[in-house]
Amino acid sequence: MARSTDILETPIEYLKGVGPARAEVLQKEAGIYTFYHLLYYFPFRYVDRSRFYNVTEINDDSTWIQLKGKLLSLQKIGKPRSQRLSAYLKDDSGIIELVWFKGIKWIEKSLEINKDYVVFGKPNYFNHKFNIPHPEMETLEDASTAIVEKLQPFYSSTEKLKARGLDSKGFRKIMKNLMVQVEGHLPETLSVEIISNLKLIPRREALISIHFPPDNKILDRAKARLKFEELFFIQLNLLKLKLLRLEKVKGHFFKNVGNYFNDFYHNNLPFELTDAQKRVVKEIRQDTGTGKQMNRLLQGDVGSGKTLVALMSMLIALDNGFQTALMAPTEILAQQHYKTIMKMLDGLDIQVALLTGSTKTKQRQALLKLLGGGDIHILIGTHALIEDTVQFSNLGLVVIDEQHRFGVAQRARLWEKNTIPPHVLVMTATPIPRTLAMTFYGDLDVSVIDELPPGRKPVKTAHYYDKDRLKVFGFLKKQIAEGRQVYVVYPLINESEKLDLKDLQDGYDSISRSFPLPDYAISIVHGKMKSKDKEFEMQRFVKGETDIMVSTTVIEVGVDVPNASVMVIENAERFGLSQLHQLRGRVGRGADQSFCILMSKVQMTNDGRQRIKTMVNTTDGFEIAEADLKLRGPGDLHGTQQSGILDLKIADIVKDEKILRYARSAAIQLLEYDPELLSEKNQAIAKHLKQINSSKTNWSLIS
Ligand code: ADP
Ligand code: MG
């Protein structure tokens, strides 16, 4: 084997116990190419092998547990396409079912009836009893010989990895081999100063103990050290980016607040601003008046009045001779913004235009000409705004609504076009826990609207089972009789799924039967419709011509119909928490008491039940966001958030808030006296930062 200068760079293939075939699956399935990658493939759990539970001890609060018992039976159940594998395990106290839905063939082959097993998994309540879905299985024999460590590490694996013998046990074996190789080659990555200030253990000790902890105390210290390190380097990157922006990137200087703003404020403001709105407008004024580029994230729960703040910021831009753009994620939402803003600016001499994918070519050309000549003040639209053909005469501010739907790269394109980039205000209605915001947007400044406009009554939320549908329909009729309108929403997990559309169609049919013409009028909107038809149906509802809007989640974002006071969510157990919260935010916008009714089957997963419980218990978006993070775990996050950036290996943004704060302040302190990391004592840090960045995310895309 060639001696590389850094042994951690050695291709994984050359590790004892790996070889070419295993190397290939390690690369494909786990992104492990080198010794380094394997070293940082941390266990996701440790099992205290001295603790076994009894089947009868399992209750609603049980999380991951270890059982010991005899496998009584093993049976495939159901039609081939929707088959599951069911096994029964008996211990001294009782019997429990184990089930698998995937990888059935392989699992069936690997198990033996009448053998004693150690079973590890998370119980689930289903059909009035507990079972354990997809448990990890080890024969008692293997398990006992493996009891070398009291705290046994478990590594996540996949069917393909397992097929190559790389289950947790397999990983443990190669990890031991790795330790022998690298033990003497794990240099420190933090400065002596930071290590002693924060009383961290050395990196070498942490990396060894995280895989093979001698006891819980050392494991905790190893975790703390590695979490700190991970968060510290993320913060360092983000803060360096911010420094760079503040020092190197010029911004447009918005010197004055002038007539546009003042006329609007004194003549057109439809209501008194909330204190939170005032504060945020002030923050934006300050930012844009420094000559530096503003990069601000505006968080505010659904209905908190972000649009108005956006508009007032845009007016400041106009007052300083600049154009502005407002970008929305969907056409419907762009149209809604256009209408809202036109209405608010009524009587003022301000040119507003709408540009979306469906703007006709001729109209578009005319519009672009006006835009290039500086004759359009505010351009509102969808992704169409960032096409290369769209040239502003002098773009001073870009507002991006519902940011989570825009790719990072798309945002970046906006200011690539200009030498002095426009100020950027990113608005999001998906509440992000503070910790997450710090990790994700650590380079942005954050404003929060933490107050709803006065007079809003919190939406009353209730949960009903499908069998109570008639009762729910009765309630809807009462509401409609009082002049209210109703949403009925169906989940659409994948727009191509025929099944979902069928659910929607069946629902529509049943509603049509229960709410017949001419007494009731119903709109239906779903993702398969042409956008023209969608818009037509939406408009009928917006204008109050229909009483009920039956739809898939296309209405999730933004639509504002104050007279709609009831939101019925079908199959609510299938929605994620943040989606449920967004949907509920569609009602409660007028003065009337609003209601959200969550419909579900009786049978639900524990998580589904928890989500519904959370929704019934609170309307606070931040509380819901925290609950969501806790339920899904940070491991699930990078699939749903902007991918790649938040690729945390060990830190948990919910639980590690304190460490995150330490990491952030250590990074701030460091950059204050050594922004370029040139000082001798910070060379370990500089070197590691370089290493991380050469192999990971393109940080420059974040802002
Ligand atoms: P979001 O933050 O979800 O985008 P919107 O900007 O759509 O919220 O505002 C929600 C509703 O609240 C709109 O109907 C808007 O006109 C109204 N609104 C906004 N600010 C205030 C305020 N200060 N007082 C009363 N109503 C307000
Ligand atoms: Mg909005």
Side-chain angles (χ1 to χ4, degrees):
M1 193 178 79
R3 245 189 111 79
S4 122
T5 43
D6 185 351
I7 192 166
L8 292 180
E9 298 295 313
T10 315
I12 196 64
E13 172 181 353
Y14 299 119
L15 182 65
K16 188 175 157 215
V18 177
R22 278 185 164 184
E24 198 185 320
V25 281
L26 280 169
Q27 289 167 9
K28 283 210 179 108
E29 296 286 299
I32 297 172
Y33 290 82
T34 63
F35 283 15
Y36 179 90
H37 294 143
L38 184 62
L39 182 65
Y40 275 83
Y41 196 71
F42 297 143
F44 65 98
R45 179 192 315 136
Y46 304 81
V47 182
D48 184 349
R49 303 307 302 233
S50 57
R51 171 76 163 108
F52 286 97
Y53 285 75
N54 284 326
V55 165
T56 46
E57 278 179 90
I58 296 172
N59 61 44
D60 261 337
D61 298 324
S62 296
T63 55
W64 296 92
I65 56 162
Q66 180 177 246
L67 302 167
K68 185 166 62 176
K70 196 184 282 304
L71 200 66
L72 294 183
S73 66
L74 197 58
Q75 196 185 2
K76 282 199 231 117
I77 296 175
K79 294 187 206 98
R81 276 168 157 257
S82 56
Q83 209 163 40
R84 68 178 200 270
L85 181 65
S86 161
Y88 282 90
L89 183 91
K90 180 181 182 321
D91 72 2
D92 295 340
S93 74
I95 295 179
I96 188 164
E97 189 190 5
L98 316 172
V99 278
W100 290 266
F101 304 96
K102 278 188 237 155
I104 292 177
K105 224 163 86 186
W106 185 83
I107 291 159
E108 192 183 21
K109 243 194 307 189
S110 70
L111 296 177
E112 237 177 277
I113 295 174
N114 281 327
K115 220 174 183 154
D116 285 320
Y117 281 92
V118 171
V119 174
F120 190 79
K122 190 180 172 192
N124 187 34
Y125 193 69
F126 183 76
N127 239 348
H128 310 294
K129 51 186 198 279
F130 286 101
N131 65 27
I132 303 184
H134 282 261
E136 282 162 32
M137 309 284 291
E138 201 171 8
T139 61
L140 186 60
E141 213 180 322
D142 281 354
S144 354
T145 54
I147 303 178
V148 195
E149 319 86 17
K150 187 178 158 225
L151 286 174
Q152 198 168 57
F154 275 71
Y155 295 91
S156 53
S157 183
T158 63
E159 295 312 325
K160 282 184 183 145
L161 282 165
K162 283 179 189 158
R164 289 267 173 216
L166 289 171
D167 52 5
S168 272
K169 203 165 64 183
F171 266 110
R172 282 198 286 274
K173 273 191 196 144
I174 60 170
M175 209 59 89
K176 286 229 163 84
N177 297 338
L178 179 72
M179 287 304 157
V180 174
Q181 296 274 314
V182 303
E183 226 174 348
H185 305 268
L186 302 172
E188 192 46 66
T189 50
L190 297 172
S191 63
V192 176
E193 200 176 346
I194 290 178
I195 290 179
S196 71
N197 278 350
L198 294 169
K199 302 194 174 55
L200 298 171
I201 61 171
R203 175 166 180 256
R204 176 174 173 277
E205 191 185 336
L207 282 169
I208 296 171
S209 305
I210 195 79
H211 291 290
F212 301 106
D215 61 46
N216 268 315
K217 220 168 123 195
I218 295 179
L219 175 60
D220 285 345
R221 297 203 67 193
K223 280 185 183 165
R225 150 79 210 213
L226 294 168
K227 285 173 177 182
F228 177 87
E229 176 171 322
E230 179 165 49
L231 296 170
F232 174 76
F233 282 99
I234 289 175
Q235 289 302 319
L236 206 55
N237 262 322
L238 290 169
L239 291 163
K240 278 188 71 138
L241 212 65
K242 186 170 174 179
L243 267 184
L244 194 76
R245 169 164 62 80
L246 291 181
E247 275 177 9
K248 305 260 163 70
V249 184
K250 273 209 176 134
H252 296 300
F253 184 30
F254 292 177
K255 212 164 34 191
N256 319 306
V257 166
N259 288 342
Y260 286 121
F261 185 95
N262 286 328
D263 284 353
F264 173 79
Y265 196 83
H266 295 298
N267 307 326
N268 282 43
L269 197 61
F271 20 63
E272 178 82 6
L273 293 181
T274 62
D275 286 342
Q277 284 171 320
K278 280 185 201 157
R279 189 185 64 235
V280 174
V281 171
K282 208 161 151 191
E283 282 165 353
I284 292 166
R285 264 207 65 187
Q286 267 162 9
D287 273 7
T288 52
T290 58
K292 310 262 165 74
Q293 188 210 8
M294 171 176 79
N295 245 306
R296 192 168 272 281
L297 176 71
L298 172 54
Q299 280 190 28
D301 213 340
V302 261
S304 61
K306 294 185 293 296
T307 318
L308 192 54
V309 170
L311 178 60
M312 292 175 69
S313 317
M314 294 196 282
L315 294 178
I316 299 175
L318 300 197
D319 276 334
N320 289 278
F322 290 96
Q323 295 170 298
T324 69
L326 170 59
M327 195 152 80
T330 65
E331 180 138 359
I332 289 173
L333 195 53
Q335 273 159 2
Q336 177 129 26
H337 274 318
Y338 178 69
K339 277 172 207 154
T340 310
I341 285 176
M342 288 292 275
K343 207 166 113 198
M344 288 209 226
L345 295 179
D346 190 37
L348 301 177
D349 186 21
I350 294 173
Q351 300 311 311
V352 186
L354 178 69
L355 178 65
T356 67
S358 61
T359 306
K360 300 256 159 36
T361 314
K362 232 166 122 190
Q363 209 181 340
R364 183 186 155 88
Q365 276 163 357
L367 195 153
L368 290 180
K369 213 166 144 207
L370 287 173
L371 190 71
D375 295 321
I376 289 173
H377 297 119
I378 299 177
L379 182 64
I380 298 172
T382 51
H383 300 69
L385 288 195
I386 55 171
E387 279 163 23
D388 286 333
T389 48
V390 181
Q391 295 288 347
F392 292 80
S393 131
N394 60 349
L395 180 61
L397 167 71
V398 177
V399 180
I400 302 176
D401 194 11
E402 308 289 355
Q403 148 292 326
H404 59 292
R405 307 223 158 180
F406 274 108
V408 173
Q410 280 173 325
R411 267 193 277 152
R413 278 186 63 183
L414 255 172
W415 41 100
E416 262 169 27
K417 294 178 176 182
N418 301 61
T419 41
I420 295 186
H423 297 298
V424 179
L425 181 65
V426 172
M427 305 197 292
T428 173
T430 308
I432 304 169
R434 263 173 325 170
T435 44
L436 186 55
M438 244 198 271
T439 319
F440 241 133
Y441 304 106
D443 68 318
L444 302 188
D445 296 308
V446 179
S447 289
V448 182
I449 304 188
D450 48 7
E451 174 187 11
L452 291 178
R456 294 268 174 86
K457 297 192 185 87
V459 179
K460 282 191 182 152
T461 304
H463 170 214
Y464 284 96
Y465 292 115
D466 289 343
K467 61 180 167 50
D468 298 322
R469 187 170 304 279
L470 279 182
K471 209 161 121 193
V472 171
F473 278 1
F475 175 75
L476 299 186
K477 283 185 177 163
K478 255 206 208 122
Q479 286 287 309
I480 293 170
E482 286 176 24
R484 304 283 95 76
Q485 287 165 285
V486 175
Y487 293 105
V488 182
V489 177
Y490 289 82
L492 198 52
I493 287 157
N494 176 351
E495 302 233 339
S496 69
E497 271 181 37
K498 279 199 195 106
L499 200 72
D500 287 330
L501 255 178
K502 190 174 170 303
D503 271 3
L504 177 76
Q505 195 59 50
D506 290 351
Y508 178 73
D509 291 345
S510 129
I511 290 169
S512 305
R513 274 192 305 276
S514 305
F515 297 82
L517 282 163
D519 293 342
Y520 299 96
I522 305 172
S523 287
I524 180 166
V525 170
H526 57 79
K528 286 265 147 157
M529 285 164 73
K530 291 214 183 76
S531 70
K532 209 176 73 205
D533 300 339
K534 244 193 280 192
E535 175 63 10
F536 177 77
E537 287 288 313
M538 293 290 300
Q539 282 311 326
R540 290 208 311 150
F541 188 70
V542 171
K543 287 185 203 143
E545 292 167 11
T546 54
D547 307 298
I548 303 176
M549 160 65 78
V550 178
S551 82
T552 53
T553 45
V554 290
I555 59 154
E556 182 189 335
V557 179
V559 184
D560 196 13
V561 183
N563 189 49
S565 65
V566 187
M567 167 64 65
V568 181
I569 303 176
E570 295 283 349
N571 298 326
E573 77 277 12
R574 283 171 60 188
F575 286 90
L577 259 179
S578 78
Q579 225 180 356
L580 289 172
H581 180 63
Q582 292 290 318
L583 285 169
R584 181 166 60 185
R586 296 303 108 213
V587 296
R589 305 189 146 227
D592 307 299
Q593 177 62 55
S594 290
F595 302 89
C596 175
I597 298 171
L598 305 170
M599 304 294 297
S600 84
K601 297 190 179 58
V602 175
Q603 284 178 4
M604 284 185 272
T605 61
N606 276 347
D607 281 3
R609 197 189 314 276
Q610 278 302 329
R611 288 195 292 265
I612 288 180
K613 212 163 125 190
T614 306
M615 288 298 292
V616 172
N617 286 343
T618 180
T619 54
D620 181 322
F622 283 89
E623 223 173 280
I624 288 168
E626 301 270 359
D628 193 26
L629 260 182
K630 272 180 197 140
L631 273 177
R632 290 189 303 159
D636 245 14
L637 270 169
H638 50 105
T640 45
Q641 305 279 349
Q642 296 171 2
S643 57
I645 295 163
L646 198 67
D647 190 14
L648 292 174
K649 290 207 170 359
I650 182 163
D652 175 323
I653 35 194
V654 183
K655 296 187 192 126
D656 300 325
E657 175 164 358
K658 212 162 135 193
I659 300 180
L660 176 57
R661 286 184 192 288
Y662 278 124
R664 187 168 171 85
S665 74
I668 290 172
Q669 264 174 38
L670 172 63
L671 290 178
E672 255 164 29
Y673 77 84
D674 190 9
E676 310 278 342
L677 302 180
L678 295 174
S679 138
E680 187 56 39
K681 58 181 178 182
N682 293 325
Q683 283 323 291
I685 295 176
K687 190 171 163 212
H688 192 61
L689 190 68
K690 222 165 155 185
Q691 235 166 21
I692 298 179
N693 288 350
S694 64
S695 65
K696 268 212 214 134
T697 327
N698 186 354
W699 288 94
S700 64
L701 286 179
I702 297 179
S703 68

